Amino acid sequence: MESKVSPPALPPEVATAEAARHRALAALVALAEALGTPDSVPVALAEAEAALRQAQGALKGLEAAREAAVAPAVALGTLGDEDEQRLRHLVAKAEEAAAALGREEGRARQWQRWLRAWHGVTMGLMVLCAAVLSLDSARTALGVTDDGHLLLALTVVAVSCEVALRGLGTSRRHLANAAGHQRDMALRLHDRAQQVAANRASAEAATATNRATADALGQLEKVTRALKELVEAVNQDREETPWGTRRQGFPSAAKELGRIVGRWREVDKEVAQRLEAAHRGLVGQG
């Protein structure tokens, strides 16, 4: 049975970055649209600069969170590089070997029972024969003149049974030890397979977390870059024509907004349309 590992929760920096991205994106659009009415630019620019600072802070936090998550993911990946299915196959083989050795040990135990019974019978016959054949009348009645051959034969049988019993006892111990080793091996392999499965599941979950963190980082970087470029362009225009100057214009911001629109079409069509509309109103200033 495979280990189930729940995917870890995303780092809190991801939620912080998402909030910062939404604010920065709103500030970007608001600043672009405010450029058409210069009186509203100061307020939009102040919000854009505040949103930019928040986005830049969120970027640093998100980068740190991503770096902190990469090392454990790499370590888990190297721990889980074994083949779980192969380990489980070896577990099955070890269990089969242990079962086969257990059956052999059971047969040896059965043979021991039979040999003990036969050894007991032989020893009983030896005692009985020795007592009966010690009598001359019994030997005469049985037509036996010497009891040595019969007792010798029974002794040989008894000794053979004893030797066989000891041999079977040794075999049983070896079989039991071998079966125990196989069971221990199966248990170790089973534990290792579970560890590998858990490591792989954790590595996959960490990879998914890293992917989500990287996606959030990439999206925030796009918005932060665009907002920073537009804020810098507006501030450049502000230095050249301070607030309240007659025929206040934003030529640098208009050019920068045009570049931003070109990049943003592949990112967010709705936002791109609003930025493009704002840019059309500023084309004459570029």
Side-chain angles (χ1 to χ4, degrees):
M1 182 177 179
E2 295 184 0
S3 299
K4 299 293 184 182
V5 177
S6 300
L10 292 177
E13 290 82 0
V14 174
T16 301
E18 187 66 13
R21 185 181 72 84
H22 284 300
R23 183 183 181 187
L25 189 57
L28 173 67
V29 173
L31 180 58
E33 293 175 342
L35 295 176
T37 53
D39 291 343
S40 63
V41 171
V43 174
L45 180 60
E47 168 58 19
E49 289 175 336
L52 180 59
R53 288 192 295 271
Q54 180 182 354
Q56 290 171 334
L59 273 176
K60 291 180 181 179
L62 199 56
E63 287 170 352
R66 186 185 180 193
E67 290 176 1
V70 166
V74 172
L76 286 170
T78 56
L79 283 174
D81 59 358
E82 295 179 75
D83 186 355
E84 178 195 353
Q85 295 304 319
R86 179 175 177 276
L87 288 171
R88 295 193 183 280
H89 177 72
L90 293 175
V91 169
K93 288 292 185 183
E95 290 175 345
E96 289 176 4
L101 290 167
R103 289 192 295 270
E104 289 296 327
E105 195 266 340
R107 282 192 284 269
R109 186 186 302 112
Q110 186 62 42
W111 275 105
Q112 275 188 311
R113 293 195 188 98
W114 293 339
L115 285 171
R116 285 196 188 96
W118 185 243
H119 182 266
V121 170
T122 302
M123 293 300 295
L125 288 174
M126 287 178 62
V127 173
L128 179 61
C129 290
V132 171
L133 295 179
S134 63
L135 302 173
D136 293 337
S137 58
R139 288 200 300 274
T140 301
L142 295 172
V144 177
T145 58
D146 187 1
D147 61 345
H149 295 295
L150 181 57
L151 290 175
L152 179 61
L154 290 172
T155 301
V156 169
V157 172
V159 170
S160 298
C161 288
E162 184 66 28
V163 171
L165 280 169
R166 291 184 180 181
L168 283 172
T170 301
S171 296
R172 277 191 61 195
R173 285 192 297 274
H174 289 320
L175 289 168
N177 289 336
H181 288 320
Q182 290 295 326
R183 282 190 289 270
D184 290 342
M185 182 183 295
L187 184 60
R188 288 194 299 271
L189 289 170
H190 180 267
D191 291 342
R192 183 57 184 167
Q194 286 189 318
Q195 182 183 6
V196 167
N199 288 339
R200 179 164 290 115
S202 297
E204 290 172 355
T207 299
T209 299
N210 289 338
R211 189 180 299 114
T213 304
D215 290 343
L217 184 62
Q219 293 175 12
L220 182 58
E221 283 176 340
K222 290 185 180 73
V223 179
T224 304
R225 176 188 172 189
L227 183 60
K228 182 174 183 291
E229 291 170 345
L230 187 58
V231 166
E232 289 176 348
V234 171
N235 281 322
Q236 181 181 342
D237 290 328
R238 177 186 178 185
E239 291 176 0
E240 295 176 357
T241 55
W243 300 136
T245 302
R246 188 178 179 183
R247 297 179 63 83
Q248 173 76 44
F250 301 95
S252 297
K255 290 179 181 179
E256 195 60 55
L257 185 57
R259 287 190 284 268
I260 293 172
V261 169
R263 296 197 309 266
W264 213 261
R265 287 192 182 98
E266 298 179 358
V267 179
D268 189 320
K269 291 183 178 179
E270 182 180 350
V271 171
Q273 288 172 356
R274 294 182 65 180
L275 293 176
E276 191 171 7
H279 177 253
R280 283 196 299 269
L282 299 174
V283 170
Q285 298 180 15

